[in-house]
Amino acid sequence: MIGANMRSNKPVGKCNYRPAIVLLLSFFVTEGSAAADTSTEKRITKLFLTSGQVDLAREVVRLPLHRGRLSSGETVWFVLTDVSDFATSKKMGLTWAPSLSKAKDVASTRVAEMDESDNFIFKSGRVDFSPVQTLKAGESPNFYPPRSARAGSVGDAHYSPLVRVTNRNDIVFNAPMIAFNVGPEKISFCGGNPNYSVVLDSVASICPDNGTVDLKLRFGFADGRHLRYLSFDANSEESAVLEASTFAPAESDILQSGATEIIYTIVNGRTGPKDPERQGLNSALNGEGPSLDILAHFKEISAGYSPMWDVQLAQWSKETIEKNQRRLITDGDDITAKSQAGVLVSPIGGPVRTTQNLVNCPVVGFTNE
């Protein structure tokens, strides 16, 4: 069960189900999942985040760890994954995400400056990493929605991962926080087994002396191909728990900026850890593997790309289940067609549509699986 993978020494309060809850479960990978095959033959066929060193045997990506500070003095440990400016993306090995410029003026986008050594000084934004991440799945056979969930890190009213650098032509970076207001000795876990009360729950290892952090990869699909990506923040607590990311409610306003992509999450796909058609939240919450979400229109980096993903939940219709017609879906166009035909519907009725939930999930690369 997924709950067994969570730290649970703190009590969990009651969590009411809301149909618009985003639940992406790419973090929970078990041995039975085809997507979690650790064969040495796996390889990245297209790397988008070129500053990253991908290790598919460990299912992690190593990124440069940056140290900045708030204008009030606190230390900020963070990574950079995407940037709105093309030249900067090439120079720094980041993914070009031009759509991020649409979010430069929203309230949750933090303001920063960069000094002559390219160090970031942030005006605001704090994250509390001390809570214990907990999760309790729903009752069988419908494990979704979970009965309770508590995020392992929580952003304040001024935190989102997006940062506008005012003295660099208002370039917008995706700069999610990894740790806050601690010295390097407190977060030095070069061999793994990090203390999740001081670092993000998706950290596999972190080594400030080397300036690196290894982050756990997530599994999904785009354009019919296997995709690896990262997950850092979500505007719903349940999403944050299930992605081992930061609960950042302030970032909700990014949904209205146009700086988003669409990702589909299947709710009630086929289950069974050895079923090659397995997919969805019920399966993932039962500990069978990741939910295997589908990035809607992504094929290559283009002018519309953004790491901020608007989640749309898709549920197989009762009639489709009765006819045993559920299958693994790997392409966003397939979701669209099945929604128009009434084969896939929203959990709250009608066609598949936005849940008003947002996740920060930068693409890493396609694989050859």
Side-chain angles (χ1 to χ4, degrees):
M1 293 293 295
I2 289 175
N5 295 328
M6 295 290 191
R7 292 169 291 139
S8 58
N9 55 315
K10 283 188 179 181
V12 180
K14 183 177 180 181
C15 180
N16 294 326
Y17 167 52
R18 300 185 301 275
I21 287 173
V22 165
L23 297 173
L24 305 178
L25 280 150
S26 302
F27 175 61
F28 299 105
V29 181
T30 61
E31 186 176 354
S33 170
D37 177 15
T38 56
S39 167
T40 56
E41 295 180 357
K42 286 187 303 182
R43 60 184 176 84
I44 293 287
T45 56
K46 176 64 176 179
L47 182 66
F48 300 106
L49 183 56
T50 56
S51 63
Q53 300 174 24
V54 179
D55 182 345
L56 291 181
R58 296 174 57 217
E59 290 295 352
V60 300
V61 61
R62 177 165 294 177
L63 292 178
L65 178 66
H66 297 270
R67 180 174 182 170
R69 63 178 174 85
L70 287 186
S71 55
S72 52
E74 297 95 327
T75 299
V76 177
W77 300 95
F78 64 102
V79 295
L80 297 172
T81 59
D82 312 83
V83 65
S84 61
D85 179 68
F86 182 76
T88 303
S89 74
K90 291 299 182 184
K91 177 182 177 181
M92 301 182 70
L94 307 179
T95 305
W96 179 47
S99 285
L100 292 182
S101 62
K102 298 178 182 179
K104 67 183 180 67
D105 295 320
V106 302
S108 70
T109 297
R110 292 177 291 156
V111 172
E113 292 187 351
M114 294 172 68
D115 65 20
E116 62 279 359
S117 300
D118 289 342
N119 297 311
F120 280 67
I121 301 96
F122 302 93
K123 182 179 179 181
S124 62
R126 294 170 169 82
V127 175
D128 179 7
F129 290 94
S130 66
V132 175
Q133 180 178 275
T134 59
L135 173 69
K136 190 173 184 180
E139 295 289 346
S140 177
N142 295 315
F143 299 99
Y144 169 80
R147 283 177 283 178
S148 61
R150 176 175 292 179
S153 52
V154 180
D156 70 5
H158 305 287
Y159 173 76
S160 90
L162 300 188
V163 178
R164 174 170 60 91
V165 182
T166 56
N167 64 336
R168 298 291 175 90
N169 298 316
D170 286 337
I171 291 173
V172 178
F173 287 88
N174 189 11
M177 199 179 298
I178 302 299
F180 179 70
N181 199 27
V182 290
E185 72 285 354
K186 296 289 186 182
I187 60 170
S188 183
F189 301 97
C190 300
N193 298 313
N195 179 357
Y196 290 120
S197 69
V198 292
V199 300
L200 185 70
D201 288 331
S202 61
V203 169
S205 61
I206 183 169
C207 199
D209 288 346
N210 295 337
T212 61
V213 57
D214 290 359
L215 296 158
K216 299 172 186 177
L217 290 167
R218 274 52 173 164
F219 300 79
F221 294 102
D223 192 35
R225 293 177 282 176
H226 286 265
L227 181 73
R228 296 295 193 275
Y229 60 93
L230 294 167
S231 186
F232 290 106
D233 311 270
N235 72 338
S236 82
E237 187 160 21
E238 293 82 1
S239 303
V241 171
L242 298 168
E243 285 284 286
S245 65
T246 295
F247 175 37
E251 72 181 24
S252 295
D253 61 358
I254 298 170
L255 282 164
Q256 281 69 54
S257 71
T260 59
E261 292 261 19
I262 293 173
I263 189 169
Y264 297 113
T265 300
I266 304 297
V267 174
N268 59 344
R270 283 169 56 167
T271 59
K274 296 183 180 181
D275 188 335
E277 304 293 326
R278 183 199 70 77
Q279 188 173 39
L281 298 173
N282 281 338
S283 173
L285 276 164
N286 195 32
E288 297 174 354
S291 57
L292 303 175
D293 306 314
I294 307 102
L295 189 54
H297 307 299
F298 182 79
K299 297 182 180 181
E300 181 60 81
I301 299 301
S302 66
Y305 173 70
S306 170
M308 308 304 294
W309 296 354
D310 177 1
V311 181
Q312 301 195 10
L313 298 184
Q315 182 169 291
W316 292 99
S317 69
K318 181 179 178 182
E319 293 77 12
T320 303
I321 295 173
E322 290 174 347
K323 293 177 181 179
N324 193 28
Q325 293 178 343
R326 289 179 295 175
R327 296 293 183 267
L328 176 71
I329 299 179
T330 63
D331 186 271
D333 290 342
D334 196 10
I335 297 272
T336 300
K338 284 180 168 56
S339 176
Q340 292 173 347
V343 174
L344 285 170
V345 297
S346 169
I348 55 176
V352 176
R353 58 189 184 276
T354 183
T355 61
Q356 295 299 307
N357 285 281
L358 187 72
V359 292
N360 176 20
C361 294
V363 297
V364 174
F366 285 118
T367 71
N368 63 337
E369 295 155 278

